[in-house]
Amino acid sequence: MILTLFDLVLIIVLPLLGLAILATEDIFKAVVLFVSFGLLMALAWVRLNALDVALAEAAIGAGVTGALFLSALNRLERTVKHERRLDRDDERKASHE
Amino acid sequence: MNRKSSLKTERFSGFLTSILSAALVVFLGWALLREPPGENLTAEAIAPLLVESGVASPVTAILLNFRGYDTLLEVMVLFLAGLGIWSQATVDPTNPLVFPAPATHPTKAYEPGPGSELILATLVGILIPLMILVAGYLTWAGEFQAGGAFQGGALLGGAGILMIIAEPQRLSAIPPPLIRAGIVIGPAIFLMVGVFCFAYGGNFLEYPRPRSGFWLGLIEFGVAISIGITLTTLFVGGRPNPRGAKGKERP
Protein backbone atom coordinates (compact mmCIF):
# COMPACT_ATOMS: atom_id res chain seq x y z
CA MET A 1 0.00 0.00 0.00
CA ILE A 2 2.77 2.40 0.94
CA LEU A 3 4.71 1.35 -2.12
CA THR A 4 1.70 1.95 -4.33
CA LEU A 5 1.37 5.45 -2.91
CA PHE A 6 5.07 5.98 -3.51
CA ASP A 7 4.70 4.85 -7.10
CA LEU A 8 1.72 7.16 -7.56
CA VAL A 9 3.67 10.11 -6.24
CA LEU A 10 6.55 9.31 -8.60
CA ILE A 11 4.20 8.96 -11.56
CA ILE A 12 2.60 12.32 -10.83
CA VAL A 13 5.77 14.24 -10.02
CA LEU A 14 8.01 13.06 -12.86
CA PRO A 15 6.00 14.48 -15.80
CA LEU A 16 5.29 17.66 -13.82
CA LEU A 17 8.99 18.07 -13.22
CA GLY A 18 9.66 17.51 -16.91
CA LEU A 19 7.13 20.18 -17.81
CA ALA A 20 8.67 22.53 -15.28
CA ILE A 21 12.11 22.03 -16.82
CA LEU A 22 10.78 22.92 -20.25
CA ALA A 23 8.70 25.84 -19.10
CA THR A 24 11.21 27.85 -17.10
CA GLU A 25 13.04 30.70 -18.71
CA ASP A 26 16.05 30.66 -16.45
CA ILE A 27 18.53 28.10 -17.78
CA PHE A 28 20.25 27.70 -14.41
CA LYS A 29 16.93 26.82 -12.80
CA ALA A 30 16.31 24.31 -15.57
CA VAL A 31 19.68 22.65 -14.90
CA VAL A 32 18.97 22.35 -11.18
CA LEU A 33 15.52 20.89 -11.91
CA PHE A 34 17.19 18.46 -14.33
CA VAL A 35 19.47 17.19 -11.57
CA SER A 36 16.49 16.59 -9.28
CA PHE A 37 14.71 14.91 -12.20
CA GLY A 38 17.66 12.56 -12.48
CA LEU A 39 17.42 11.68 -8.80
CA LEU A 40 13.70 10.94 -9.02
CA MET A 41 14.35 8.90 -12.16
CA ALA A 42 16.86 6.83 -10.16
CA LEU A 43 14.10 6.14 -7.63
CA ALA A 44 11.82 5.10 -10.48
CA TRP A 45 14.45 2.67 -11.73
CA VAL A 46 14.71 1.17 -8.25
CA ARG A 47 10.94 0.66 -8.21
CA LEU A 48 11.26 -1.11 -11.57
CA ASN A 49 13.79 -3.52 -10.00
CA ALA A 50 16.67 -2.28 -12.15
CA LEU A 51 19.29 -1.55 -9.53
CA ASP A 52 22.29 -1.22 -11.83
CA VAL A 53 20.47 1.31 -13.99
CA ALA A 54 19.44 3.21 -10.86
CA LEU A 55 23.06 3.46 -9.70
CA ALA A 56 24.18 4.60 -13.13
CA GLU A 57 21.32 7.10 -13.41
CA ALA A 58 22.09 8.61 -10.02
CA ALA A 59 25.78 8.92 -10.75
CA ILE A 60 25.71 9.94 -14.42
CA GLY A 61 22.28 11.40 -15.01
CA ALA A 62 22.17 13.49 -11.87
CA GLY A 63 25.84 13.98 -11.12
CA VAL A 64 27.96 14.09 -14.23
CA THR A 65 25.33 15.52 -16.57
CA GLY A 66 24.48 18.23 -14.06
CA ALA A 67 28.13 19.21 -13.82
CA LEU A 68 28.49 19.13 -17.62
CA PHE A 69 25.44 21.34 -18.05
CA LEU A 70 26.74 23.85 -15.54
CA SER A 71 30.14 23.86 -17.22
CA ALA A 72 28.48 24.42 -20.60
CA LEU A 73 26.38 27.20 -19.10
CA ASN A 74 29.54 28.76 -17.77
CA ARG A 75 31.17 28.69 -21.17
CA LEU A 76 27.99 29.96 -22.78
CA GLU A 77 27.96 33.01 -20.63
CA ARG A 78 31.46 33.70 -21.73
CA THR A 79 30.53 33.90 -25.40
CA VAL A 80 27.21 35.66 -24.95
CA LYS A 81 28.00 38.37 -22.48
CA HIS A 82 24.85 39.89 -21.09
CA GLU A 83 22.41 37.02 -21.64
CA ARG A 84 23.85 35.14 -18.74
CA ARG A 85 20.98 33.11 -17.43
CA LEU A 86 17.93 34.09 -19.41
CA ASP A 87 16.45 32.10 -22.19
CA ARG A 88 16.86 33.28 -25.75
CA ASP A 89 13.12 33.64 -26.14
CA ASP A 90 13.10 36.69 -23.95
CA GLU A 91 15.00 38.60 -26.57
CA ARG A 92 12.62 37.48 -29.27
CA LYS A 93 9.54 38.19 -27.16
CA ALA A 94 10.86 41.66 -26.44
CA SER A 95 11.45 42.34 -30.10
CA HIS A 96 8.08 40.88 -31.09
CA GLU A 97 6.09 43.34 -29.01
CA MET B 1 14.56 36.64 -42.33
CA ASN B 2 13.13 39.23 -39.99
CA ARG B 3 12.41 38.57 -36.33
CA LYS B 4 8.67 38.06 -36.67
CA SER B 5 8.87 35.23 -39.21
CA SER B 6 11.67 33.52 -37.28
CA LEU B 7 9.45 33.54 -34.19
CA LYS B 8 6.66 31.98 -36.24
CA THR B 9 8.90 29.21 -37.58
CA GLU B 10 10.18 28.57 -34.09
CA ARG B 11 6.67 28.28 -32.72
CA PHE B 12 5.68 25.96 -35.55
CA SER B 13 8.72 23.74 -35.13
CA GLY B 14 8.10 23.63 -31.37
CA PHE B 15 4.53 22.60 -31.97
CA LEU B 16 5.59 19.95 -34.47
CA THR B 17 8.20 18.60 -32.05
CA SER B 18 5.69 18.30 -29.22
CA ILE B 19 3.16 16.53 -31.47
CA LEU B 20 5.79 14.05 -32.66
CA SER B 21 7.08 13.46 -29.11
CA ALA B 22 3.55 12.77 -27.87
CA ALA B 23 3.05 10.36 -30.77
CA LEU B 24 6.28 8.60 -29.84
CA VAL B 25 5.17 8.27 -26.21
CA VAL B 26 1.79 6.85 -27.24
CA PHE B 27 3.38 4.40 -29.66
CA LEU B 28 5.95 3.22 -27.11
CA GLY B 29 3.27 2.72 -24.48
CA TRP B 30 1.13 0.74 -26.90
CA ALA B 31 4.10 -1.43 -27.94
CA LEU B 32 5.11 -2.08 -24.34
CA LEU B 33 1.67 -2.98 -23.14
CA ARG B 34 0.99 -5.26 -26.06
CA GLU B 35 4.04 -7.53 -26.20
CA PRO B 36 4.73 -10.03 -23.44
CA PRO B 37 8.20 -9.78 -21.97
CA GLY B 38 10.82 -11.80 -23.79
CA GLU B 39 11.39 -15.38 -22.72
CA ASN B 40 15.15 -15.67 -23.08
CA LEU B 41 16.36 -12.92 -20.81
CA THR B 42 14.36 -13.56 -17.64
CA ALA B 43 16.18 -14.43 -14.43
CA GLU B 44 14.92 -18.03 -14.57
CA ALA B 45 16.34 -18.55 -18.03
CA ILE B 46 19.73 -17.10 -17.11
CA ALA B 47 20.14 -18.94 -13.79
CA PRO B 48 21.42 -22.28 -15.18
CA LEU B 49 23.96 -20.43 -17.32
CA LEU B 50 25.36 -18.32 -14.51
CA VAL B 51 27.87 -20.92 -13.40
CA GLU B 52 29.28 -21.02 -16.88
CA SER B 53 29.54 -17.26 -17.11
CA GLY B 54 31.75 -16.88 -14.07
CA VAL B 55 29.78 -14.25 -12.14
CA ALA B 56 26.81 -14.50 -9.81
CA SER B 57 24.86 -11.46 -10.98
CA PRO B 58 22.67 -12.03 -14.05
CA VAL B 59 23.00 -8.40 -15.13
CA THR B 60 26.78 -8.51 -15.19
CA ALA B 61 26.72 -11.91 -16.87
CA ILE B 62 24.58 -10.53 -19.69
CA LEU B 63 26.48 -7.25 -19.96
CA LEU B 64 29.98 -8.61 -20.02
CA ASN B 65 29.68 -12.21 -21.11
CA PHE B 66 26.61 -13.07 -23.16
CA ARG B 67 26.28 -9.64 -24.76
CA GLY B 68 29.87 -8.60 -24.29
CA TYR B 69 30.18 -7.28 -27.82
CA ASP B 70 27.52 -4.63 -27.16
CA THR B 71 29.41 -3.48 -24.08
CA LEU B 72 32.59 -3.31 -26.13
CA LEU B 73 30.85 -1.03 -28.59
CA GLU B 74 29.50 1.13 -25.74
CA VAL B 75 33.01 1.53 -24.37
CA MET B 76 34.20 2.46 -27.84
CA VAL B 77 31.44 5.07 -28.14
CA LEU B 78 32.56 6.66 -24.89
CA PHE B 79 36.14 6.60 -26.13
CA LEU B 80 35.02 8.36 -29.32
CA ALA B 81 33.19 10.98 -27.27
CA GLY B 82 36.36 11.64 -25.27
CA LEU B 83 38.33 11.77 -28.52
CA GLY B 84 35.85 14.26 -29.97
CA ILE B 85 36.06 16.60 -26.99
CA TRP B 86 39.83 16.16 -26.88
CA SER B 87 40.19 17.23 -30.48
CA GLN B 88 37.85 20.19 -30.35
CA ALA B 89 39.39 22.48 -27.76
CA THR B 90 42.44 23.06 -25.66
CA VAL B 91 42.44 23.91 -22.01
CA ASP B 92 45.02 25.71 -19.95
CA PRO B 93 46.06 23.06 -17.41
CA THR B 94 47.07 25.62 -14.80
CA ASN B 95 43.60 27.15 -14.91
CA PRO B 96 41.06 24.80 -16.47
CA LEU B 97 37.98 26.57 -15.13
CA VAL B 98 38.57 30.06 -16.39
CA PHE B 99 35.75 32.07 -14.95
CA PRO B 100 34.52 35.17 -16.74
CA ALA B 101 35.30 38.66 -15.57
CA PRO B 102 32.73 40.07 -13.15
CA ALA B 103 29.78 40.87 -15.38
CA THR B 104 27.64 43.95 -15.29
CA HIS B 105 24.61 41.74 -14.88
CA PRO B 106 22.15 43.16 -12.34
CA THR B 107 21.53 39.94 -10.36
CA LYS B 108 24.33 39.40 -7.92
CA ALA B 109 26.04 36.05 -8.13
CA TYR B 110 26.91 33.98 -5.06
CA GLU B 111 29.68 35.61 -3.06
CA PRO B 112 31.81 33.14 -1.07
CA GLY B 113 32.37 33.95 2.56
CA PRO B 114 35.79 34.12 4.20
CA GLY B 115 35.99 30.47 5.34
CA SER B 116 34.40 28.69 2.41
CA GLU B 117 37.67 27.59 0.85
CA LEU B 118 38.54 25.81 4.06
CA ILE B 119 35.22 24.00 4.03
CA LEU B 120 35.63 22.95 0.43
CA ALA B 121 39.23 21.83 0.89
CA THR B 122 38.39 19.75 3.96
CA LEU B 123 35.34 18.22 2.38
CA VAL B 124 37.23 17.34 -0.78
CA GLY B 125 40.10 15.88 1.25
CA ILE B 126 37.70 13.56 3.03
CA LEU B 127 35.38 12.79 0.13
CA ILE B 128 37.67 12.02 -2.79
CA PRO B 129 39.61 9.10 -1.26
CA LEU B 130 36.30 7.74 0.00
CA MET B 131 34.74 8.06 -3.45
CA ILE B 132 37.65 6.25 -5.05
CA LEU B 133 37.33 3.47 -2.48
CA VAL B 134 33.58 3.16 -2.99
CA ALA B 135 34.09 3.19 -6.76
CA GLY B 136 36.48 0.27 -6.46
CA TYR B 137 34.02 -1.56 -4.22
CA LEU B 138 31.13 -0.92 -6.62
CA THR B 139 33.16 -2.28 -9.54
CA TRP B 140 34.06 -5.42 -7.61
CA ALA B 141 30.58 -5.87 -6.16
CA GLY B 142 29.13 -6.09 -9.66
CA GLU B 143 30.10 -9.74 -9.68
CA PHE B 144 27.34 -10.71 -7.30
CA GLN B 145 25.04 -7.70 -6.73
CA ALA B 146 24.15 -4.39 -8.32
CA GLY B 147 27.24 -2.59 -9.47
CA GLY B 148 29.80 -3.19 -12.13
CA ALA B 149 32.21 -1.27 -14.27
CA PHE B 150 29.87 1.51 -15.42
CA GLN B 151 28.63 2.34 -11.96
CA GLY B 152 32.11 2.36 -10.44
CA GLY B 153 33.43 4.35 -13.38
CA ALA B 154 30.64 6.92 -13.04
CA LEU B 155 31.48 7.39 -9.36
CA LEU B 156 35.16 7.72 -10.26
CA GLY B 157 34.18 10.35 -12.83
CA GLY B 158 32.25 12.18 -10.16
CA ALA B 159 35.33 12.16 -7.94
CA GLY B 160 37.42 13.56 -10.79
CA ILE B 161 34.87 16.29 -11.48
CA LEU B 162 34.83 17.21 -7.80
CA MET B 163 38.60 17.47 -7.80
CA ILE B 164 38.61 19.71 -10.88
CA ILE B 165 35.97 21.98 -9.36
CA ALA B 166 37.64 22.24 -5.96
CA GLU B 167 41.31 22.50 -6.90
CA PRO B 168 41.57 23.29 -10.60
CA GLN B 169 45.23 24.20 -10.46
CA ARG B 170 46.16 20.59 -9.70
CA LEU B 171 45.36 19.57 -13.25
CA SER B 172 48.80 20.85 -14.32
CA ALA B 173 50.45 18.30 -12.01
CA ILE B 174 49.08 15.38 -14.04
CA PRO B 175 51.27 14.59 -17.04
CA PRO B 176 49.16 14.37 -20.21
CA PRO B 177 50.50 10.94 -21.23
CA LEU B 178 48.99 9.58 -18.02
CA ILE B 179 45.60 11.03 -18.97
CA ARG B 180 45.88 9.50 -22.42
CA ALA B 181 46.80 6.14 -20.92
CA GLY B 182 43.80 6.36 -18.60
CA ILE B 183 41.39 7.08 -21.43
CA VAL B 184 42.76 4.26 -23.56
CA ILE B 185 43.19 1.51 -20.97
CA GLY B 186 39.55 0.41 -20.89
CA PRO B 187 38.98 -0.15 -24.61
CA ALA B 188 42.52 -1.53 -24.91
CA ILE B 189 42.06 -4.18 -22.23
CA PHE B 190 38.66 -5.12 -23.59
CA LEU B 191 39.99 -5.53 -27.12
CA MET B 192 43.10 -7.36 -26.03
CA VAL B 193 41.12 -9.85 -23.95
CA GLY B 194 38.78 -10.35 -26.88
CA VAL B 195 41.65 -11.11 -29.23
CA PHE B 196 43.40 -13.19 -26.59
CA CYS B 197 40.40 -15.50 -26.55
CA PHE B 198 41.46 -16.74 -29.98
CA ALA B 199 44.51 -18.31 -28.34
CA TYR B 200 42.24 -20.52 -26.26
CA GLY B 201 40.36 -21.77 -29.28
CA GLY B 202 37.25 -19.68 -28.83
CA ASN B 203 35.73 -16.93 -30.88
CA PHE B 204 36.25 -13.23 -30.33
CA LEU B 205 35.28 -12.46 -26.71
CA GLU B 206 34.53 -16.10 -25.91
CA TYR B 207 36.28 -16.31 -22.58
CA PRO B 208 38.10 -19.52 -21.57
CA ARG B 209 35.58 -21.55 -19.59
CA PRO B 210 36.95 -22.64 -16.24
CA ARG B 211 37.88 -19.17 -14.97
CA SER B 212 35.98 -16.69 -17.09
CA GLY B 213 35.21 -14.65 -13.97
CA PHE B 214 38.85 -13.58 -13.90
CA TRP B 215 38.71 -12.11 -17.40
CA LEU B 216 35.45 -10.35 -16.59
CA GLY B 217 37.06 -8.81 -13.52
CA LEU B 218 40.05 -7.66 -15.53
CA ILE B 219 37.85 -6.06 -18.16
CA GLU B 220 35.69 -4.38 -15.53
CA PHE B 221 38.74 -2.95 -13.79
CA GLY B 222 40.09 -1.39 -16.96
CA VAL B 223 36.70 -0.13 -18.12
CA ALA B 224 35.96 1.49 -14.76
CA ILE B 225 39.23 3.44 -14.76
CA SER B 226 38.71 4.45 -18.35
CA ILE B 227 35.14 5.63 -17.80
CA GLY B 228 36.17 7.69 -14.79
CA ILE B 229 38.99 9.46 -16.59
CA THR B 230 36.93 9.97 -19.76
CA LEU B 231 34.06 11.55 -17.82
CA THR B 232 36.50 13.88 -16.10
CA THR B 233 37.99 14.77 -19.48
CA LEU B 234 34.52 15.51 -20.81
CA PHE B 235 34.01 17.90 -17.94
CA VAL B 236 37.37 19.65 -18.39
CA GLY B 237 36.47 20.08 -22.02
CA GLY B 238 39.68 19.88 -23.98
CA ARG B 239 43.18 18.59 -24.25
CA PRO B 240 45.87 20.13 -22.05
CA ASN B 241 47.75 22.89 -23.73
CA PRO B 242 50.73 24.15 -21.75
CA ARG B 243 50.78 27.36 -23.72
CA GLY B 244 47.43 28.46 -22.33
CA ALA B 245 43.94 28.04 -23.71
CA LYS B 246 43.58 28.72 -27.45
CA GLY B 247 47.34 28.84 -27.84
CA LYS B 248 48.53 29.57 -31.31
CA GLU B 249 51.24 26.94 -31.49
CA ARG B 250 50.44 23.25 -31.37
CA PRO B 251 51.83 21.49 -28.25
Side-chain angles (χ1 to χ4, degrees):
Chain A
M1 170 70 181
I2 303 271
L3 283 179
T4 318
L5 281 179
F6 187 70
D7 288 345
L8 268 178
V9 168
L10 270 181
I11 290 175
I12 293 178
V13 170
L14 275 175
L16 285 182
L17 203 52
L19 281 176
I21 293 175
L22 291 171
T24 62
E25 298 180 346
D26 189 356
I27 299 185
F28 180 71
K29 179 175 170 186
V31 171
V32 172
L33 283 179
F34 186 79
V35 172
S36 65
F37 182 80
L39 287 180
L40 283 183
M41 201 63 218
L43 286 180
W45 287 124
V46 169
R47 285 300 298 143
L48 288 170
N49 255 339
L51 297 174
D52 301 67
V53 186
L55 277 175
E57 171 75 34
I60 298 180
V64 175
T65 312
L68 282 178
F69 271 143
L70 288 175
S71 171
L73 192 59
N74 186 28
R75 285 167 205 258
L76 195 64
E77 69 180 351
R78 259 193 288 161
T79 54
V80 183
K81 277 253 170 89
H82 293 289
E83 293 181 332
R84 180 170 176 248
R85 281 156 41 151
L86 296 178
D87 212 346
R88 288 290 224 161
D89 284 351
D90 270 350
E91 174 196 306
R92 296 218 182 86
K93 264 186 237 164
S95 64
H96 181 64
E97 283 157 20
Chain B
M1 191 186 322
N2 57 349
R3 294 233 176 235
K4 200 159 175 179
S5 72
S6 80
L7 182 61
K8 262 194 185 166
T9 15
E10 270 204 16
R11 285 218 173 125
F12 173 70
S13 63
F15 182 67
L16 194 62
T17 308
S18 48
I19 290 283
L20 288 177
S21 305
L24 184 66
V25 166
V26 166
F27 175 67
L28 276 180
W30 173 75
L32 273 177
L33 289 174
R34 143 175 212 268
E35 295 286 330
E39 297 290 321
N40 290 334
L41 286 181
T42 58
E44 295 87 28
I46 299 287
L49 300 169
L50 272 185
V51 178
E52 194 181 337
S53 73
V55 293
S57 156
V59 177
T60 306
I62 293 179
L63 264 186
L64 282 183
N65 198 336
F66 303 140
R67 298 275 195 263
Y69 187 59
D70 297 343
T71 311
L72 175 64
L73 293 182
E74 279 178 30
V75 170
M76 287 302 171
V77 162
L78 191 60
F79 172 67
L80 278 179
L83 206 63
I85 299 265
W86 196 264
S87 66
Q88 284 297 316
T90 60
V91 157
D92 186 5
T94 55
N95 199 359
L97 303 177
V98 180
F99 286 97
T104 57
H105 200 270
T107 65
K108 200 65 172 148
Y110 158 73
E111 281 224 334
S116 64
E117 277 119 26
L118 183 63
I119 295 178
L120 190 59
T122 311
L123 197 63
V124 161
I126 297 177
L127 265 185
I128 285 191
L130 211 56
M131 282 169 97
I132 297 181
L133 196 62
V134 174
Y137 169 72
L138 266 182
T139 310
W140 171 78
E143 314 263 321
F144 52 89
Q145 66 186 25
F150 288 90
Q151 285 75 12
L155 194 53
L156 208 56
I161 290 179
L162 187 58
M163 190 201 82
I164 300 286
I165 290 179
E167 300 183 355
Q169 69 276 1
R170 288 206 192 260
L171 190 58
S172 56
I174 307 176
L178 204 61
I179 306 180
R180 286 173 209 260
I183 295 181
V184 155
I185 193 175
I189 286 186
F190 214 142
L191 271 181
M192 282 196 298
V193 167
V195 171
F196 183 70
C197 293
F198 284 128
Y200 276 81
N203 276 326
F204 182 62
L205 279 182
E206 189 175 334
Y207 309 109
R209 287 310 155 86
R211 297 192 58 212
S212 47
F214 166 71
W215 300 107
L216 260 68
L218 186 65
I219 290 178
E220 282 200 340
F221 172 73
V223 167
I225 294 180
S226 183
I227 288 178
I229 297 190
T230 308
L231 284 178
T232 311
T233 308
L234 288 181
F235 176 72
V236 170
R239 64 181 180 273
N241 184 4
R243 287 174 184 79
K246 299 184 193 207
K248 294 297 182 188
E249 310 94 71
R250 295 275 175 139

